[in-house]
Amino acid sequence: MRPVRLMKVFITRRIPPEGSAALARAADCEVEQWDSDEPIPREDLEHRMAGAHGLLCLLSDRIDKKLLDAAGANLKVISTMSVGVDHLALDEIKKRGIRVGYTPGVLTDATAELAVSLLLTTCRRLPEAIEEVKNGGWTSWKPLWMCGHGLSQSTVGIVGLGRIGQAIARRLKPFGVQRFLYTGRQPRPQEAAEFQAEFVSTPELAAESDFIVVACSLTPATRGLCNKDFFQWMKKTAVFINISRGEVVDQDDLYQALVSGQIAAAGLDVTTPEPLPTNHPLLTLKNCVILPHIGSATHRTRNIMSVLAADNLLAGLRGEPMPSELKL
């Protein structure tokens, strides 16, 4: 009886335990892993990918032609533990007939919670307030001290009314938001009906909104969408939130808008690059709150993401339907 040939799988980082366990149970796979929370050096990744049949990667791993060449003809499946796929060279992957799995849906709630948290943190100036308590700036109650902007009776504009955009609107509605606007590739009347959201142009959304939440995918059309013109359209009292991808925003233009008082404040969970250098000008501003891309960072969500990524990988290797396959 001939021995069964194991399929080689490489995982680019430590992943949550439930996903690791799912792969460990796969008797038809030989699993190798970069055993660190930090990214694998590029040369090591190219070396260890040689001959691999499957790859489980993260959004911070750049999967380009050079890496695909290093992997060789055995590579049949790439499973990314993310909903975004802008780190994957999709045209090259499609050309080689490689299947791609991703993790949409499972991180919607966690990311929407984070978006609302970031919006409230930014508009009510919580980091500034905490710092005032610590440094002695809190001397007495003052009528105008540490005043921010509230959601009641406001207009909220959402750039991208997809799963996450809808989940954000659903959570903001009980705060007394008066009006929802949205923009995107096309109107989504069925999804918008729940919030009576109005489909408008990008300039109109920027000009009319008190709060803007960017929740779109990164595409050629959205890259650099939020630039100098966008910020000039906004109200001086408006608050800008980005939980999509850093490249959607021109950060130099955002800095100038914040410094000049063109807009009131900004909250970012995504930046360019990631991590953002500690000497970046945006980090000097009190009216800019920056988080380290933690939209999906709950224990439950990350475990679910890792299991789905593992299941996608195994199904693809076995020639079965993936739970969540990106159709190329």
Side-chain angles (χ1 to χ4, degrees), residues 30-48:
E30 177 186 4
V31 180
E32 294 183 24
Q33 181 181 42
W34 179 251
D35 191 21
S36 172
D37 291 327
E38 298 301 320
I40 180 171
R42 189 69 182 181
E43 288 185 6
D44 290 338
L45 178 57
E46 292 173 4
H47 174 72
R48 296 183 70 167

Side-chain angles (χ1 to χ4, degrees), residues 119-238:
L119 188 155
L120 292 170
T121 296
T122 304
C123 74
R124 294 301 300 271
R125 304 171 62 183
L126 299 191
E128 288 181 76
I130 291 167
E131 189 58 34
E132 290 295 285
V133 173
K134 291 179 177 179
N135 66 21
W138 183 18
T139 58
S140 66
W141 188 89
K142 308 163 195 172
L144 299 177
W145 186 59
M146 294 307 307
C147 287
H149 300 278
L151 280 160
S152 181
Q153 303 299 307
S154 68
T155 295
V156 172
I158 299 178
V159 180
L161 198 67
R163 279 185 296 259
I164 293 173
Q166 292 167 53
I168 292 168
R170 196 169 293 122
R171 285 159 174 77
L172 289 177
K173 192 175 180 181
F175 283 91
V177 173
Q178 187 174 55
R179 185 182 180 211
F180 284 101
L181 308 177
Y182 73 101
T183 189
R185 284 173 293 186
Q186 58 191 16
R188 307 188 69 170
Q190 189 171 346
E191 292 85 351
E194 179 182 348
F195 322 106
Q196 293 82 50
E198 305 166 43
F199 182 73
V200 298
S201 67
T202 298
E204 185 175 349
L205 180 140
E208 295 290 327
S209 298
D210 299 301
F211 301 91
I212 294 174
V213 183
V214 181
C216 58
S217 300
L218 178 63
T219 67
T222 61
R223 189 181 300 274
L225 174 69
C226 301
N227 56 15
K228 181 178 180 180
D229 289 340
F230 186 96
F231 298 124
Q232 286 181 341
W233 293 327
M234 288 174 62
K235 300 177 181 180
K236 292 187 181 297
T237 54

Side-chain angles (χ1 to χ4, degrees), residues 45-62:
L45 178 57
E46 292 173 4
H47 174 72
R48 296 183 70 167
M49 274 297 296
H53 298 83
L55 170 68
L56 195 157
C57 65
L58 309 184
L59 57 83
S60 52
D61 299 312
R62 191 177 78 258

Side-chain angles (χ1 to χ4, degrees), residues 239-261:
V239 174
F240 176 84
I241 304 295
N242 184 23
I243 52 90
S244 61
R245 285 291 185 268
E247 292 92 334
V248 174
V249 177
D250 185 312
Q251 289 177 175
D252 291 338
D253 290 349
L254 175 60
Y255 175 80
Q256 291 301 325
L258 290 166
V259 167
S260 67

